[in-house]
């Protein structure tokens, strides 16, 4: 079993431990030695960040071939119509790449989250709403770029889940540890094979099955691990919703 740490990364904290001239780093909220992020979260985004000291687990979580779904609650400026929601679901052409299809829905009420510091700046004449967006990618500022492209600029972005791990109960800066078995990690059905240059590619929009059925780690072909079960749709993260006033 490996140890995995779930952190609610506060707004404004940069995802690194080395000192930064402009932003507080993970040192400001993580005292556990010898652990490192498995993936990243933008400095101006909040929510779930996974950390571990197990290199194999870190690779397994952050490797884009495994495509763990990431769930975001996104406060956007404006009121989305069905065309904008469908555009997000179908995939958005961002110029340098086209996003994979996403799961998108309008949250019925604003989620009851912690207060952000500094608070979000609103325009009194422009309405806002909250979306739940689930993607299987994690490119730089992807969700913000997606919503901006369809005319819904992001005001606040909170990641509430990565694969089976959820933010439930964690306040900003809080850390929780869980025991993880590599054999229990979900295996996606849309993982693309890795190219020799280390870049995953999904050619012509086709989905590829796992090209490593023996469960061998790509960095060590002599190490074999049990095959993981197929991923199933996980329930939505459990948060209370704020009551309408």
């Amino acid at each position: 079993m490996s140890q995995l740490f779930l952190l609610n990364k506060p707004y404004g904290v940069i995802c690194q431990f080395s000192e930064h001239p402009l932003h507080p780093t993970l040192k400001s909220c993580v005292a556990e030695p010898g652990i490192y992020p498995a993936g990243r979260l933008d400095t101006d985004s909040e929510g779930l960040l996974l950390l571990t000291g197990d290199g194999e687990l870190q690779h397994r979580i952050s490797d884009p071939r495994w495509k763990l779904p990431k769930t975001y609650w996104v406060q956007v400026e404006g009121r989305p119509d069905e065309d904008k929601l469908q555009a997000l679901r179908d995939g958005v052409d961002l110029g340098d790449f086209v996003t994979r299809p996403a799961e998108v829905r309008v949250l019925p009420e604003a989620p009851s989250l912690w207060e952000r510091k500094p608070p979000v700046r609103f325009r009194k004449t422009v309405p806002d709403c909250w979306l739940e967006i689930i993607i299987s990618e994690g490119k730089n500022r992807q969700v913000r770029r997606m919503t901006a492209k369809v005319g819904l600029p992001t005001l606040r972005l909170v990641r509430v889940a990565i694969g089976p791990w959820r933010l439930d109960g964690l306040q900003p800066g809080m850390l929780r540890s869980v025991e993880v078995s590599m054999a229990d990690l979900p295996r996606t059905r849309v993982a693309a094979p890795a190219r020799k240059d280390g870049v995953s590619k999904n050619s012509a929009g086709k989905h590829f099955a796992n090209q490593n059925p023996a469960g061998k780690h790509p960095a060590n072909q002599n190490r074999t691990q049990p095959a993981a079960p197929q991923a199933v749709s996980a329930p939505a993260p459990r948060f209370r919703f704020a009551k309408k006033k």
Side-chain angles (χ1 to χ4, degrees):
M1 300 288 282
S2 300
Q3 194 169 29
L4 183 68
F5 292 86
L6 284 62
L7 170 69
N8 185 345
K9 187 193 82 68
Y11 176 88
V13 172
I14 193 168
C15 281
Q16 64 185 49
F17 283 95
S18 56
E19 295 297 325
H20 190 276
L22 300 177
H23 300 285
T25 69
L26 294 175
K27 280 186 177 181
S28 64
C29 47
V30 178
E32 188 75 21
I35 61 174
Y36 304 94
R40 299 187 65 82
L41 188 60
D42 295 335
T43 305
D44 53 355
S45 298
E46 310 158 71
L48 185 59
L49 181 69
L50 303 178
L51 305 97
T52 181
D54 185 320
E56 187 175 8
L57 178 60
Q58 183 187 43
H59 173 80
R60 175 64 174 76
I61 293 171
S62 59
D63 189 334
R65 286 179 295 159
W66 294 102
K67 307 292 184 190
L68 285 176
K70 301 174 180 67
T71 303
Y72 297 87
W73 284 353
V74 190
Q75 187 178 24
V76 297
E77 189 176 77
R79 296 288 186 186
D81 55 28
E82 189 57 33
D83 288 343
K84 292 180 178 180
L85 295 176
Q86 194 60 46
L88 292 170
R89 296 179 184 126
D90 291 342
V92 183
D93 187 350
L94 298 179
D96 50 340
F97 74 101
V98 178
T99 64
R100 288 178 177 270
E103 296 181 41
V104 182
R105 70 182 181 101
V106 177
L107 293 179
E109 298 178 353
S112 182
L113 297 171
W114 54 90
E115 181 181 355
R116 202 192 80 171
K117 297 179 181 180
V120 176
R121 292 183 178 180
F122 297 99
R123 291 193 293 171
K124 293 182 179 180
T125 58
V126 180
D128 65 275
C129 75
W130 284 85
L131 305 178
E132 180 182 79
I133 300 178
I134 304 176
I135 61 174
S136 58
E137 302 167 290
K139 298 184 185 294
N140 186 40
R141 304 184 72 78
Q142 178 174 333
V143 173
R144 294 178 184 274
R145 294 176 65 192
M146 289 170 63
T147 62
K149 184 71 173 184
V150 301
L152 300 168
T154 291
L155 299 172
R156 186 179 183 186
L157 190 149
V158 181
R159 186 161 66 193
V160 294
I162 301 174
W165 301 291
R166 313 217 185 288
L167 197 62
D168 294 339
L170 283 179
Q171 292 299 307
M174 289 182 60
L175 197 69
R176 177 194 302 138
S177 65
V178 295
E179 295 292 324
V180 175
S181 169
M182 293 290 291
D184 292 336
L185 293 182
R187 175 177 295 173
T188 179
R189 286 172 285 188
V190 296
R195 286 165 33 186
K196 290 182 179 180
D197 58 6
V199 179
S200 293
K201 184 176 182 181
N202 197 3
S203 176
K206 295 180 181 179
H207 294 326
F208 292 88
N210 175 42
Q211 300 296 306
N212 192 14
K216 294 180 180 179
H217 192 285
N220 183 358
Q221 294 295 334
N222 293 323
R223 177 178 295 177
T224 301
Q225 65 186 50
Q230 292 287 336
V232 296
S233 298
R238 298 180 300 276
F239 273 80
R240 289 189 303 106
F241 288 97
K243 294 182 179 179
K244 289 184 177 179
K245 294 181 179 180

